[in-house]
Amino acid sequence: GENVEQHPSTLSVQEGDSAVIKCTYSDSASNYFPWYKQELGKRPQLIIDIRSNVGEKKDQRIAVTLNKTAKHFSLHITETQPEDSAVYFCAASRGGTSYGKLTFGQGTILTVHP
Amino acid sequence: EPEVTQTPSHQVTQMGQEVILRCVPISNHLYFYWYRQILGQKVEFLVSFYNNEISEKSEIFDDQFSVERPDGSNFTLKIRSTKLEDSAMYFCASSRSGDTQYFGPGTRLTVL
């Protein structure tokens, strides 16, 4: 089955800096890669996703890149703010062909210092 | 904006008791899921449900677990005889197309 590895496990940055979180996946049939933000005690919230027919996607300060050949994808947050502090999870799935089962990475605790 | 809802927010039960966790998915969604998250760990897939039947289940989802969509709006997870290791946050999620999934707020299950 799919295995998703996520690094780093913790990331500490100063407000205004950029943050990068990286994930690798094992199943070459995976074609959908979402990123979720989870604040303490709250639900995972989808922040951005990318499908395998696209190499990069951007939404304001957040961007995701995908390298299908290397089987890795990354989340980039620019101009970080204290409210970006949370746990970030990457995930992978085969999309609609497998009813969408998500395999998650281990999570990255991002702390943005004012 | 419609959201997935779950009840109760916190359930405390004794080992060996049955629990039912309830979810109301987003109304026009067709795919439903249960995940769990043990404190401080990653989110783990339990089961997916489509067209009124289980489409996939993980190794965690053994004979003690079952899911049901008893009517047009609710989606439930039943644990027949809870164990201490079932203590976790249980998240329901739904999807319209089988990829983008939206999560509910979770039910924290504590087994004593």
Side-chain angles (χ1 to χ4, degrees):
Chain A
E2 174 69 282
N3 183 49
V4 177
E5 296 288 334
Q6 182 173 346
H7 299 280
S9 55
T10 61
L11 181 58
S12 184
V13 300
Q14 288 296 126
E15 183 176 0
D17 287 351
S18 294
V20 180
I21 303 170
K22 299 182 179 182
C23 289
T24 60
Y25 61 99
S26 61
D27 184 356
S28 56
S30 288
N31 58 13
Y32 175 68
F33 307 93
W35 286 88
Y36 286 86
K37 175 183 180 182
Q38 188 178 31
E39 295 173 354
L40 193 62
K42 301 281 184 68
R43 75 183 79 195
Q45 194 140 16
L46 179 70
I47 56 172
I48 196 167
D49 56 11
I50 191 168
R51 289 174 175 77
S52 59
N53 58 347
V54 175
E56 184 173 358
K57 184 176 177 181
K58 192 172 181 182
D59 183 3
Q60 299 181 4
R61 296 186 296 108
I62 294 173
V64 57
T65 59
L66 171 64
N67 183 327
K68 281 171 51 180
T69 304
K71 289 196 274 208
H72 67 70
F73 57 112
S74 301
L75 177 71
H76 305 251
I77 306 174
T78 58
E79 300 170 29
T80 53
Q81 300 165 4
E83 50 266 39
D84 294 330
S85 297
V87 182
Y88 290 80
F89 290 97
C90 63
S93 87
R94 293 186 175 190
T97 60
S98 70
Y99 307 99
K101 165 192 167 183
L102 289 173
T103 301
F104 283 83
Q106 296 90 330
T108 296
I109 301 171
L110 174 63
T111 305
V112 181
H113 299 282
Chain B
E1 184 177 321
E3 288 189 329
V4 178
T5 60
Q6 289 184 243
T7 54
S9 56
H10 192 189
Q11 174 92 47
V12 181
T13 190
Q14 295 290 326
M15 191 170 55
Q17 294 297 303
E18 175 183 288
V19 295
I20 298 176
L21 311 183
R22 291 183 167 81
C23 169
V24 179
I26 295 172
S27 64
N28 63 350
H29 284 190
L30 302 175
Y31 299 80
F32 314 112
Y33 311 86
W34 284 100
Y35 293 85
R36 80 170 187 190
Q37 185 178 34
I38 295 170
L39 189 63
Q41 297 187 22
K42 67 178 177 179
V43 178
E44 298 176 288
F45 170 78
L46 292 178
V47 65
S48 58
F49 192 86
Y50 172 72
N51 202 26
N52 283 320
E53 60 182 22
I54 290 174
S55 47
E56 188 171 2
K57 58 185 180 180
S58 72
E59 293 172 353
I60 303 167
F61 194 89
D62 61 21
D63 292 345
Q64 294 301 311
F65 291 84
S66 63
V67 290
E68 195 176 34
R69 187 154 162 85
D71 53 43
S73 59
N74 291 284
F75 180 50
T76 62
L77 174 70
K78 182 194 289 186
I79 310 175
R80 287 190 187 83
S81 177
T82 49
K83 303 188 280 275
L84 295 175
E85 53 265 37
D86 293 329
S87 294
M89 182 74 95
Y90 288 80
F91 291 105
C92 172
S94 71
S95 171
R96 186 171 181 186
S97 57
D99 49 19
T100 306
Q101 295 180 29
Y102 298 93
F103 281 71
T107 293
R108 179 165 298 285
L109 176 65
T110 303
V111 182
L112 302 176

